[in-house]
Amino acid sequence: MANVSAEQLGSESISSLLIKQALPASIGILVMSLNVLVDSIFVGNWIGSIAIAAINVVLPVSFFIGALGMAIGIGGASIISRALGANNKDKALRTFGNQISFTLLVTIIMVVLGLTYVDSLIPAFGGKGSIFEMAKIYYVIVLYGVPLLALNMMGNAVIRAEGKPKFAMIAMIIPSIGNLVMDYLFINVLDYGMEGAAWATTISYFLCFSYILYFFLSKHSELKLNLQYFRINFSILKEISSLGFVTLSRQAVVSIIYLLMNNILFDLGGEAMVAVYAIIGRMLMFALFPVFGVTQGFLPIAGFNYGAGKYDRVKESIYTAIKFAAILATIVFTGLMIFPAEIAGLFLSHKPGMSELEIATNAFVLENTPSAMRWVFAATPIIALQLIGAAYFQAIGKAVPALLLTLCRQGFFFIPLILILPNYLGELGVWISFPIADVLATIVTGYYLHKEINRTLVSKKI
């Protein structure tokens, strides 16, 4: 898990580089995903299944604001990787400074708007009935910390672009462990309920920010914090935005999907059905961590070698990343098909003195989650091609195809499916929309990736 220098990205074997880049990224994502998973288990067991649904309602808003930082980070990281590959350190430094200024500006504006319209946003995202009050408590506290979350997401992408995946991994591990410790203290020991869950999350953002700030002030970073680079450069900002818009669009679509899913499922089955989706949503974040890790590890390798004109290495990195990710996705798929009921049971409270609503909700969730989970993950083995294919276009700075392929699965296929199929098939129509969208998006991505490899990498080599 050693860090690699920028030069090593262009010389070391692709398999070795991918392992060095993807392993710490996977571990970091695993710990972060475990944090979300265990956090939900703690909340479900210590507060109740309605509380899990309440957090699920808030996630789209906090995710979207955090995604602004991720978008700026990944968009800028693509520029930084190629700039370092072309030995243009000044552009890398200016890009980094603009990332920080832009992240602070847009996220603070979003927080102000989010707090202003809190009573309208929560019901719009499915926070209805008994979910509303818990969701509002969690929302207001967490929203104060999301500018730090955005800076963390931005900084993490830049750390990976420097070829320092070990530090990026640690940056994800610190807040994850901190959040779980704070959860135990605030919820179980001090009995602060939803306020405790929210403050645990917000404090974890601060812990992560502190570590990332340390990294960029230390000798380990090639990109130093310098106020002269914080001045907005509109040409760089335009390039960051065009590439980052790919990530932002993907996360915006995720927020829209949460909005639609929470409302559609609430209409089909009330709070209990939203709780089913909340559990499946946590598994979507957690179970695919190795595939996302390979994708994150692939980005700087492809970007650096493309910037350096080493097209054979770019092509090799694509095929190697798809192979690694597909194997890992198949392993994940097998586990989810075998143990869905056991997974669902982890999230449910068995404390004495539960209300009739809580008991009925638990029974409904335990009965309905296993079959829903099997449908949702049915096409998991093939998603590696879709994720790596879309990431490739982003890594080499081709924003438009990256955007279209990124939106392909969730935006162009999944959203229309969940708007149509439940009208005929009820809740089954919701769950089968997942694998149908996966298959269609993979076919489209495979076609365009193959076409791009033959047209760009092969022709440029010749």
Side-chain angles (χ1 to χ4, degrees):
M1 282 197 309
N3 294 303
V4 297
S5 66
E7 290 75 17
Q8 285 176 285
L9 291 172
S11 59
E12 196 168 324
S13 76
I14 295 297
S15 294
S16 176
L17 275 176
L18 195 58
I19 291 171
K20 287 181 179 179
Q21 292 286 104
L23 184 58
S26 296
I27 293 174
I29 294 171
L30 168 62
V31 175
M32 187 172 66
S33 302
L34 273 173
N35 168 40
V36 175
L37 191 70
V38 178
D39 179 63
S40 298
I41 292 172
F42 284 174
V43 168
N45 280 271
W46 294 335
I47 303 177
S49 53
I50 300 298
I52 299 178
I55 293 177
N56 203 57
V57 166
V58 176
L59 281 179
V61 180
S62 59
F63 268 15
F64 180 73
I65 298 176
L68 289 167
M70 181 189 293
I72 296 167
I74 291 178
S78 174
I79 302 169
I80 290 170
S81 290
R82 286 178 283 120
L84 291 174
N87 201 29
N88 188 351
K89 192 167 184 180
D90 183 71
K91 184 173 183 179
L93 287 167
R94 291 189 182 281
T95 301
F96 180 47
N98 274 250
Q99 285 177 293
I100 295 172
S101 299
F102 195 30
T103 301
L104 283 171
L105 177 64
V106 297
T107 55
I108 290 173
I109 291 173
M110 292 299 295
V111 168
V112 172
L113 292 173
L115 291 172
T116 301
Y117 298 103
V118 55
D119 289 328
S120 301
L121 285 171
I122 291 176
F125 280 88
K128 304 169 184 175
S130 58
I131 299 175
F132 177 80
E133 286 302 325
M134 283 190 174
K136 184 174 181 179
I137 291 168
Y138 189 83
Y139 173 95
V140 171
I141 296 172
V142 167
L143 207 60
Y144 287 119
V146 292
L148 291 179
L149 171 63
L151 286 170
N152 296 341
M153 303 295 278
M154 183 276 294
N156 203 277
V158 175
I159 293 172
R160 283 194 300 270
E162 284 195 57
K164 304 293 191 301
K166 180 179 177 181
F167 288 96
M169 175 190 73
I170 295 172
M172 288 190 281
I173 290 175
I174 288 175
S176 300
I177 295 174
N179 187 33
L180 296 181
V181 172
M182 295 296 167
D183 266 341
Y184 177 78
L185 177 63
F186 291 155
I187 303 175
N188 195 44
V189 176
L190 299 178
D191 197 24
Y192 287 169
M194 286 300 288
E195 292 95 336
W199 279 116
T201 299
T202 300
I203 291 171
S204 74
Y205 296 159
F206 175 77
L207 294 174
C208 182
F209 173 76
S210 299
Y211 178 79
I212 288 177
L213 180 62
Y214 151 76
F215 172 82
F216 287 116
L217 292 174
S218 74
K219 64 181 181 180
H220 303 293
S221 176
E222 299 176 48
L223 302 174
K224 301 303 179 185
L225 295 169
N226 191 322
L227 290 178
Q228 69 172 315
Y229 295 120
F230 283 34
R231 182 179 299 174
I232 294 295
N233 181 308
F234 286 101
S235 64
I236 291 177
L237 208 62
K238 182 180 179 181
E239 193 174 359
I240 291 173
S241 299
S242 65
L243 294 171
F245 188 68
V246 175
T247 299
L248 181 60
S249 298
R250 179 174 62 242
Q251 297 303 321
V253 169
V254 169
S255 292
I256 292 171
I257 287 172
Y258 269 100
L259 183 153
L260 293 173
M261 289 285 286
N262 285 337
N263 281 282
I264 290 170
L265 291 172
F266 186 88
D267 291 340
L268 288 171
E271 294 92 340
M273 189 63 78
V274 176
V276 170
Y277 177 53
I279 292 172
I280 291 173
R282 299 305 182 279
M283 293 309 300
L284 283 168
M285 296 177 196
F286 167 71
L288 299 177
F289 77 89
V291 182
F292 294 141
V294 172
T295 304
Q296 293 291 341
F298 164 77
L299 283 167
I301 299 171
F304 183 96
N305 285 284
Y306 190 88
K310 300 180 178 181
Y311 302 118
D312 280 337
R313 288 177 59 81
V314 177
K315 187 176 178 182
E316 183 184 354
S317 71
I318 295 170
Y319 293 140
T320 304
I322 291 174
K323 179 178 70 176
F324 283 8
I327 292 170
L328 293 169
T330 302
I331 294 171
V332 169
F333 166 81
T334 302
L336 290 168
M337 292 301 107
I338 296 174
F339 302 111
E342 290 78 4
I343 293 169
L346 293 174
F347 293 86
L348 302 178
S349 174
H350 303 286
K351 62 185 180 182
M354 290 192 301
S355 67
E356 290 185 7
L357 176 61
E358 290 175 317
I359 294 172
T361 300
N362 281 1
F364 183 92
V365 170
L366 193 58
E367 180 182 353
N368 288 271
T369 302
S371 61
M373 190 176 297
R374 286 193 174 104
W375 277 117
V376 169
F377 288 95
T380 297
I382 69 170
I383 65 167
L385 175 59
Q386 207 275 324
L387 292 174
I388 299 298
Y392 167 69
F393 288 95
Q394 192 170 8
I396 65 173
K398 295 192 174 184
V400 173
L403 172 63
L404 295 176
L405 290 177
T406 296
L407 295 180
C408 183
R409 174 186 172 271
Q410 295 178 314
F412 300 152
F413 293 130
F414 183 71
I415 289 178
L417 285 168
I418 61 170
L419 291 174
I420 296 170
L421 293 185
N423 294 322
Y424 302 96
L425 301 173
E427 64 189 68
L428 176 62
V430 175
W431 307 130
I432 65 173
S433 296
F434 284 88
I436 294 173
D438 286 335
V439 171
L440 294 174
T442 299
I443 292 170
V444 171
T445 303
Y447 170 78
Y448 282 104
L449 179 62
H450 177 72
K451 185 177 180 180
E452 178 68 17
I453 289 172
N454 288 334
R455 182 178 60 189
T456 304
L457 300 182
V458 176
S459 63
K460 283 190 175 184
K461 182 182 70 172
I462 294 173

